[in-house]
Amino acid sequence: MSSFSRRQFLRRSALATAGLAGGSRRASGLWLPQPAAGAIYRTVTPAESHITWKHDNAKSLMHWLPESMCSGCAIFDYDNDGWMDIFLVNTGRCDFFQPKVPPHNALYKNNRDGTFTDVTREAGLLGGETWGEGAAVGDYDGDGLPDLYVTGYGRNLLYHNNGDGTFTDVTGKAGVGDSGWSTSAAWFDYDNDGRLDLFVCSFVEYSDQLKISCGDNKLGKRYYCIPRLFNPRPSKLYRNNGDGTFTEVGHLAGIGQNPGKSHGVVATDINNDGWMDLFVSNDTAANFLFVNHKGRFEENGFMAGVAYSEEGTPRSGMGLDSADYDNDDWMDLYVANIDHERFSLYHNNHDGTFTDMAAQSGIGADSYLRSGWGVRFLDYDNDGELDLFQADAHPDDMVQSYDEGVHWYEKPMLFHGNGRGLFALVPPAAAGSAFSRRWSARGMAIGDWDNDGGIDVLINNNGARPLLLHNQVGRLNRWLGVFLVGRKCNRDAVGAKVSWHFGELTRTREKTAGGSYLSSHDPRLVLGCGQAARIDWLEVRWPQPSGAVERIPNPPMNRYITIVEGEGIRPYPYKIKR
């Protein structure tokens, strides 16, 4: 391993165990479970969490393609109490699935003691009347309350947060329903007017009239069709009008002219010009890189070197993310593909082009027989360097019968990064018991649901119960959690860059939007500091239209704080004045 040996992993986990001998306890108001020796991530059981919901993928002998693609999840604080809650997307009625009692989504309120309470019905988020796919969270009206956008097959839904624990379906008024098949979505401010706009990925043309029978596979059975057999669809860009309504402008901004088979999107600033760009993964089609030229998008994937494989062929792009993994102050790109294609780690060359460094980084060989869905760069041990979590599974439920070494259910992967471009796969014995088991992973979100500074993981498994992984090593290093609140810029501060200096190091994180697959992450940034005694300074570069830079000397450590644009540090949680 690059920086930490397996022995060091076990030693650190043993220290955590010794410090918590005797079971769960509270320390400084934080719930801390007793960790299992030798594990970075401990699997949280349904009996412990009280999360008993199960995803229904409507699996049938007909093998309709949407069965294999869902579903996503979100980690967000819907009631603004300072503790992250959980939302899980389910399927529902559609042209090929008409159950008497439809499946339902799940909203679980954080009880602040390691357990959650199902409040879905009271919140008005049961769903079930449309086929759900993904979730995107954003405060689109700037009232300080996170709103929820649910994508799906047939129709998308926008739920406005009422601030009293309930949500209202405002899809019709807002004008963001979008018939067809949508997958991931991202809230970001594309035109720098201080309001969150919405990008929605469109998958293939698929409906009751456009279903294609692919015949039988090598086993003589009907199977899930490969997406290359279907026609592409243009994705959508909705401009926020500031009055609760949106206008679709993708067809005017260079997006509508590029139909794709899109699975994932991440909003990120690839050229440091202060305008958020879009990286979009496509399945069996060229990936898109929509470069933002002051509100006008130019598709530049081919010229940038991120559209195809090194052999010049399209791959099966699914989950993706963007981060500065090697600390050169330029945002890089990552996309997970299907087996025998290898995942892609695109290094930013600072000139609008990228180089795939998957093989050189250490990720390529380990991903060759994998199929990737949810993915996220994160600093799981709070040493200040970005690591990588990958949730994998194959879309074909019969693949292992005729492709040796490839599995339908797959093990997740945790890579440790050294901050200089290299990653090492953490052995399952050190990563945790979940990494030795195979799962039907799809959507994946990260977040700190017990506020101890360690980044936890939520995976929504296709046709199964979700997987909750509790981080047991993040709190062993020092850290600072930052919740950003924009005033002139968008309220969620998407596009902000946070730098902090600790020891002899300076690190920077950009607040991106989207990423992973069908999922939405904890909106807070956790800044790892290793064993540094203090943070010398913290700096926030706010997005446009403000563009202001605020520097805060000697901020506190090992806690969450709020930073309000133009006002400095405020308590956490922070009640935003409307």
Side-chain angles (χ1 to χ4, degrees):
M1 302 180 67
S2 58
S3 297
F4 293 94
S5 67
R6 180 174 180 272
R7 181 178 300 173
Q8 286 172 303
F9 280 128
L10 297 177
R11 182 185 299 121
R12 295 179 72 175
S13 296
L15 288 172
T17 303
L20 296 176
S24 300
R25 66 177 175 89
R26 281 183 176 272
S28 303
L30 306 178
W31 174 76
L32 302 176
Q34 179 179 354
I40 296 170
Y41 280 101
R42 186 179 73 88
T43 302
V44 181
T45 67
E48 294 173 294
S49 68
H50 299 177
I51 295 179
T52 58
W53 176 91
K54 183 180 179 180
H55 179 254
D56 184 349
N57 61 0
K59 186 172 172 58
S60 69
L61 295 177
M62 297 302 293
H63 278 70
W64 303 120
L65 188 56
E67 299 170 6
S68 177
M69 313 300 280
C70 50
S71 275
C73 54
I75 296 177
F76 73 120
D77 183 8
Y78 84 95
D79 53 359
N80 281 346
D81 67 350
W83 296 77
M84 291 296 124
D85 310 297
I86 285 174
F87 181 73
L88 298 154
V89 183
N90 214 337
T91 58
R93 292 191 174 106
C94 64
D95 51 28
F96 61 82
F97 183 50
Q98 291 291 324
K100 292 182 179 179
V101 179
H104 64 83
N105 304 319
L107 176 65
Y108 280 97
K109 176 178 171 54
N110 193 327
N111 297 327
R112 313 181 192 183
D113 61 359
T115 68
F116 295 81
T117 297
D118 187 341
V119 296
T120 319
R121 185 177 298 278
E122 300 92 311
L125 293 176
L126 282 175
E129 297 306 317
T130 61
W131 179 281
E133 286 271 336
V137 176
D139 181 6
Y140 73 87
D141 57 353
D143 64 355
L145 299 164
D147 307 299
L148 179 64
Y149 188 69
V150 179
T151 64
Y153 167 64
R155 185 170 183 258
N156 302 335
L157 298 169
L158 176 61
Y159 293 101
H160 178 262
N161 191 329
N162 300 320
D164 58 1
T166 68
F167 291 78
T168 298
D169 182 351
V170 296
T171 312
K173 174 188 175 183
V176 292
D178 192 18
S179 62
W181 188 352
S182 300
T183 51
S184 298
W187 294 97
F188 76 116
D189 183 8
Y190 87 91
D191 52 0
N192 283 345
D193 66 352
R195 295 190 291 262
L196 285 178
D197 309 298
L198 178 64
F199 179 90
V200 183
C201 289
S202 292
F203 198 47
V204 298
E205 293 284 359
Y206 193 91
S207 69
D208 195 34
Q209 294 77 33
L210 295 174
K211 295 193 192 80
I212 296 174
S213 173
C214 300
D216 298 333
N217 61 14
K218 298 176 183 178
L219 303 177
K221 298 180 180 180
R222 183 165 177 142
Y223 65 102
Y224 293 117
C225 294
I226 299 172
R228 70 168 57 96
L229 300 176
F230 299 92
N231 292 326
R233 295 180 64 234
S235 293
K236 302 295 179 67
L237 176 64
Y238 292 100
R239 184 182 187 277
N240 190 331
N241 298 325
D243 59 0
T245 69
F246 293 79
T247 300
E248 205 290 311
V249 296
H251 64 289
L252 302 174
I255 291 171
Q257 287 76 33
N258 291 277
K261 304 175 183 182
S262 303
H263 275 313
V265 58
V266 62
T268 177
D269 184 2
I270 63 148
N271 49 15
N272 291 332
D273 66 351
W275 295 81
M276 298 297 281
D277 311 296
L278 294 168
F279 181 48
V280 179
S281 58
N282 285 304
D283 194 342
T284 67
N287 296 326
F288 295 144
L289 182 61
F290 292 111
V291 180
N292 190 341
H293 298 286
K294 297 183 178 180
R296 180 182 58 83
F297 287 93
E298 178 184 5
E299 202 293 295
N300 201 32
F302 177 76
M303 297 299 295
V306 299
Y308 300 106
S309 70
E310 293 177 339
E311 292 75 31
T313 58
R315 290 188 273 195
S316 300
M318 295 185 287
L320 82 180
D321 200 17
S322 177
D324 178 15
Y325 73 87
D326 57 353
N327 297 307
D328 65 353
D329 294 325
W330 292 77
M331 296 295 283
D332 309 296
L333 305 172
Y334 179 89
V335 59
N337 302 302
I338 207 165
D339 62 282
H340 294 87
E341 291 183 348
R342 199 177 66 192
F343 298 173
S344 303
L345 180 65
Y346 291 113
H347 177 262
N348 193 323
N349 298 326
H350 311 173
D351 60 1
T353 69
F354 294 78
T355 300
D356 190 348
M357 301 296 290
Q360 297 89 328
S361 70
I363 291 174
D366 288 311
S367 67
Y368 185 68
L369 293 178
R370 300 296 194 101
S371 300
W373 299 95
V375 60
R376 187 68 167 176
F377 287 102
L378 77 170
D379 182 4
Y380 72 80
D381 55 356
N382 280 332
D383 66 350
E385 310 297 0
L386 284 173
D387 313 302
L388 183 66
F389 190 103
Q390 177 70 57
D392 299 335
H394 201 281
D396 183 355
D397 59 342
M398 292 176 276
V399 66
Q400 61 201 53
S401 299
Y402 48 78
D403 196 338
E404 185 177 359
V406 179
H407 299 269
W408 179 31
Y409 288 5
E410 295 183 11
K411 302 173 184 177
M413 294 190 292
L414 181 65
F415 291 94
H416 186 269
N418 72 350
R420 298 181 299 278
L422 298 179
F423 291 87
L425 184 65
V426 180
S433 61
F435 296 81
S436 296
R437 293 184 56 190
R438 300 186 188 279
W439 310 85
S440 55
R442 292 298 187 269
M444 184 272 286
I446 66 167
D448 180 9
W449 60 64
D450 59 348
N451 286 344
D452 69 347
I455 301 299
D456 309 307
V457 177
L458 169 66
I459 298 174
N460 200 358
N461 290 311
N462 180 269
R465 298 193 188 282
L467 175 63
L468 280 71
L469 300 177
H470 179 262
N471 185 318
Q472 302 180 104
V473 303
R475 64 177 178 268
L476 300 181
N477 273 327
R478 309 200 76 192
W479 57 277
L480 173 63
V482 177
F483 178 60
L484 299 175
V485 177
R487 290 297 194 196
K488 294 182 179 179
C489 72
N490 67 87
R491 186 56 58 88
D492 291 358
V494 173
K497 294 188 177 182
V498 178
S499 301
W500 72 108
H501 184 81
F502 61 99
E504 298 180 354
L505 298 176
T506 299
R507 292 291 179 258
T508 300
R509 298 282 185 266
E510 178 180 299
K511 187 172 181 183
T512 59
S516 192
Y517 174 72
L518 304 179
S519 301
S520 192
H521 308 283
D522 185 335
R524 304 169 300 181
L525 300 175
V526 177
L527 314 178
C529 303
Q531 289 297 308
R534 65 176 186 175
I535 297 176
D536 298 300
W537 53 262
L538 180 146
E539 184 177 273
V540 181
R541 294 180 177 269
W542 297 96
Q544 298 294 337
S546 166
V549 178
E550 293 183 61
R551 177 170 287 211
I552 299 170
N554 302 127
M557 300 183 75
N558 296 339
R559 70 186 65 179
Y560 282 94
I561 62 173
T562 302
I563 301 179
V564 180
E565 182 182 8
E567 301 177 19
I569 294 179
R570 292 291 182 266
Y572 180 82
Y574 179 76
K575 302 298 182 181
I576 298 174
K577 297 179 181 179
R578 302 189 189 185

